[in-house]
Amino acid sequence: RSPKGGSAPREVEALKKAGPKAKVSTVYVTLEPCAHYGRTPPCSLELIRAGVKRVVDATLDPNPKVAGKGIENLKRAGIEVTVGVCQREAKKLNEDFFHWITTQTPFVVLKVAQTLDGFIATEGGKSKWITSERSRRLVHRLRCESSAILVGVGTVLKDDPQLTVRLFPCEKKPLRVVLDTYLKIPEEANILKGDAPTLIFTAHGDPQKIRRLEKRGIEVIKIPAEGGLLDLKEVLKVLGQREVVQLLVEGGAKVFGQFFKRGLWNKLVVFTAPKVFGRGVSPFKGFKVENPREGEILKLENLKRIEEDIYAEYYPLR
């Protein structure tokens, strides 16, 4: 089931494909069928109309508009319901949605590609390419799974990324987000081209430049800043209101450091290549400790090999 919006719920798609075979069938879902009208009619109503016999639901929906109501609808219609099968796995699968629906802010994923000695770029700022092509394809899959992709203007100035999904089949175009306190972004930057939506957060932007950007369909939002740094909580608040369920943060070091330092992240994905730079740019600029015992301890939940690279998923212990 896909709770992130933008397409028909998976139950509806499955029922359409099944056709008459859906009647007296057993339907397995990872999230409770909804009970309210939104972009589509309630999923629980569609299941009732299809005449299914049984529904096996992994977990209840934390959305107050649902929260058990979908299950009750099914039971009142005489459908047998089983709840809690593979609940842990389902909560993991829907971790971003659960976070967004309960906090109204995006589930923040920090994506770091680094060398074996922990650098995301050479001392001169070059970072293409640290990891393998297969790892980069997986990054594009992460982009497709996200509602928005965020970078700081420093990354735009150094790498001129497109921040689009090109190496993985994807129907949607995630929102591209740039943090740019002084609106330094070049108007010919790749991130401002193409048909993917783009949003720039700034604090001191030139009004004429803002108007030129807005005429091109690029949205510019002014938010507070302190010491040259934009208010990340306000950024997340605005994105949450726009139904950005998962936010993929792709850099650079200052941006990673601020999210990490302020505890505004939910998952850290690290691609480590078997390369050594000796000196370079560390991932978390602005975050430091004096005593090794004070270092941030993370929870490792997934570790696998991607060709010669190592892929790891970490979560905060908070």
Side-chain angles (χ1 to χ4, degrees):
R1 170 168 166 77
S2 174
K4 301 179 185 180
S7 61
R10 296 292 183 254
E11 294 96 328
V12 176
E13 293 180 4
L15 291 173
K16 285 181 179 179
K17 289 182 179 179
K21 294 180 181 179
K23 196 168 186 179
V24 303
S25 65
T26 297
V27 177
Y28 295 84
V29 294
T30 58
L31 185 66
E32 177 184 3
C34 62
H36 64 288
Y37 284 86
R39 294 188 181 93
T40 59
C43 306
S44 56
L45 181 59
E46 295 296 327
L47 290 166
I48 293 169
R49 286 174 176 171
V52 303
K53 180 181 179 182
R54 182 183 179 217
V55 172
V56 179
D57 172 36
T59 181
L60 297 179
D61 192 332
N63 186 345
K65 294 180 180 179
V66 186
K69 299 183 182 70
I71 296 300
E72 289 304 315
N73 285 349
L74 298 175
K75 289 181 176 180
R76 280 199 298 268
I79 296 174
E80 181 185 349
V81 180
T82 302
V83 180
V85 177
C86 296
Q87 185 178 68
R88 182 180 177 183
E89 292 83 353
K91 286 185 175 181
K92 167 72 173 174
L93 182 65
N94 293 308
E95 61 186 358
D96 53 353
F97 173 70
F98 279 33
H99 175 85
W100 174 74
I101 204 67
T102 55
T103 67
Q104 290 301 292
T105 59
F107 183 86
V108 178
V109 179
L110 306 182
K111 188 278 296 181
V112 173
Q114 66 176 24
T115 62
L116 197 59
D117 49 351
F119 297 120
I120 61 173
T122 64
E123 201 170 19
K126 295 181 180 180
S127 60
K128 292 183 178 179
W129 297 105
I130 290 178
T131 54
S132 67
E133 183 179 348
R134 187 175 172 189
S135 290
R136 296 198 296 276
R137 286 200 299 268
L138 181 52
V139 171
H140 281 245
R141 177 177 178 176
L142 290 173
R143 288 181 178 181
C144 185
E145 293 173 350
S146 302
S147 311
I149 310 160
L150 181 147
V151 294
V153 70
T155 296
V156 176
L157 295 174
K158 290 177 183 176
D159 299 337
D160 196 20
Q162 298 179 55
L163 287 196
T164 54
V165 184
R166 304 180 303 281
L167 304 180
F168 183 82
C170 187
E171 294 180 4
K172 67 177 184 179
K173 294 179 173 62
L175 174 68
R176 301 179 293 190
V177 182
V178 182
L179 302 183
D180 190 357
T181 306
Y182 300 100
L183 204 61
K184 294 179 180 179
I185 190 168
E187 294 182 52
E188 67 276 9
N190 281 328
I191 202 170
L192 303 181
K193 300 174 183 177
D195 57 354
T198 306
L199 169 61
I200 301 173
F201 286 101
T202 189
H204 307 289
D206 172 51
Q208 292 185 358
K209 187 174 183 180
I210 290 176
R211 283 194 290 271
R212 289 195 300 271
L213 292 171
E214 290 178 338
K215 283 183 180 179
R216 294 170 56 186
I218 298 154
E219 189 173 7
V220 181
I221 296 180
K222 281 194 172 185
I223 62 172
E226 185 175 348
L229 300 174
L230 293 171
D231 185 343
L232 291 184
K233 285 189 175 182
E234 184 64 21
V235 168
L236 296 180
K237 178 182 176 182
V238 172
L239 294 178
Q241 291 170 345
R242 292 169 181 240
E243 297 190 358
V244 171
V245 176
Q246 178 168 295
L247 175 66
L248 181 64
V249 179
E250 292 203 26
K254 184 184 290 186
V255 173
F256 286 144
Q258 286 303 307
F259 272 99
F260 200 84
K261 185 177 181 179
R262 301 188 63 186
L264 297 175
W265 64 281
N266 304 99
K267 183 177 180 179
L268 172 63
V269 173
V270 181
F271 295 83
T272 302
K275 297 178 181 178
V276 174
F277 284 177
R279 299 177 68 178
V281 180
S282 297
F284 304 106
K285 186 175 181 180
F287 177 84
K288 65 178 182 179
V289 297
E290 299 297 334
N291 191 319
R293 294 182 180 179
E294 298 173 353
E296 187 85 11
I297 299 176
L298 311 181
K299 182 181 180 182
L300 175 63
E301 287 211 1
N302 190 11
L303 184 68
K304 62 183 179 181
R305 183 172 179 173
I306 304 176
E307 293 183 346
E308 67 269 26
D309 299 337
I310 298 297
Y311 171 88
E313 292 179 359
Y314 298 92
Y315 290 80
L317 287 178
R318 62 179 183 271

